[in-house]
Amino acid sequence: MNDLPQQPGASDPANEFASDSSSINPRDFRNALGTYATGVTIITAAAPEGKPYGLTCNSFASVSLNPPLVLWSLVVYSSSLTIFQNASHFTVNVLGASQQALATKFAKSSDDKFTGVGWTPGLGGAPVLAESVANFQCRSVNRYYGGDHVIFLGAVEAYTYSSKEPLLFARGTFGRFLADDERKTSP
């Protein structure tokens, strides 16, 4: 007997999504997910010859404090997938409120994403971006396949952070966090 809750007419979720037979409308589901505000990051890694790669990502999350683990996910048809799958390390660069243009630049496909961007090589050569609110230099630990994404698990080996305001993303647009005291003084 299966102790998992069942919904009438529901099938195995793994097979449901893999077979495209889900009754959930993908666009509407994306809209619903967009109500959850996230931070904005640029995930970076280096190719074996040292060339830097990076992409904008808001699927970053903490997993564990002890040991320190984080995760992020990448769509399986990304042109950068092989770079991240083969990299020994990646860096999660958390962007600040003033870095919206940088987020937009790294969200687009381009060979010159790092032109004009300040960075230093981190662990495994993964770029650590200047002016980021925080960065987490991670050793790649494992990958998991989930639907149309690959989930990357990383062991944090070094990190830095500041008190700068983070960049946020919700409902398809960038924004910022307003603390209660800021809302009371805003016009």
Side-chain angles (χ1 to χ4, degrees):
M1 174 165 259
N2 186 347
D3 291 336
L4 296 174
Q6 296 292 315
Q7 295 180 1
S11 62
D12 175 20
N15 291 331
E16 179 177 328
F17 293 119
S19 67
D20 259 349
S21 64
S22 174
S23 62
I24 293 178
N25 176 296
R27 180 70 246 175
D28 193 55
F29 183 57
R30 184 176 181 148
N31 291 342
L33 290 172
T35 65
Y36 181 70
T38 66
V40 182
T41 68
I42 293 177
I43 311 292
T44 58
E49 76 280 357
K51 181 179 177 184
Y53 283 83
L55 51 88
T56 301
C57 173
N58 70 337
S59 65
F60 166 68
S62 63
V63 174
S64 170
L65 295 176
N66 187 15
L69 298 171
V70 297
L71 66 77
W72 66 282
S73 63
L74 181 60
V75 69
V76 295
Y77 53 80
S78 170
S79 61
S80 300
L81 182 61
T82 302
I83 298 299
F84 288 100
Q85 285 181 317
N86 293 324
S88 66
H89 290 76
F90 60 84
T91 299
V92 178
N93 298 277
V94 179
L95 300 186
S98 66
Q99 294 180 300
Q100 181 176 333
L102 191 61
T104 301
K105 179 178 185 173
F106 276 79
K108 297 176 182 171
S109 183
S110 171
D111 286 335
D112 65 349
K113 290 182 182 183
F114 286 87
T115 301
V117 176
W119 64 278
T120 56
L123 298 174
V128 176
L129 302 182
E131 305 300 318
S132 56
V133 171
N135 64 67
F136 301 90
Q137 297 182 61
C138 304
R139 178 177 37 82
S140 294
V141 174
N142 215 332
R143 293 184 308 273
Y144 305 93
Y145 293 86
D148 61 357
H149 279 67
V150 177
I151 302 160
F152 291 86
L153 182 67
V156 178
E157 294 185 335
Y159 67 93
T160 63
Y161 66 100
S162 71
S163 61
K164 294 178 192 171
E165 182 181 3
L167 180 62
L168 300 181
F169 189 78
R171 292 196 164 113
T173 189
F174 295 103
R176 59 182 289 251
F177 175 75
L178 291 178
D180 284 338
D181 59 335
E182 286 181 281
R183 272 187 253 140
K184 291 175 187 169
T185 60
S186 296

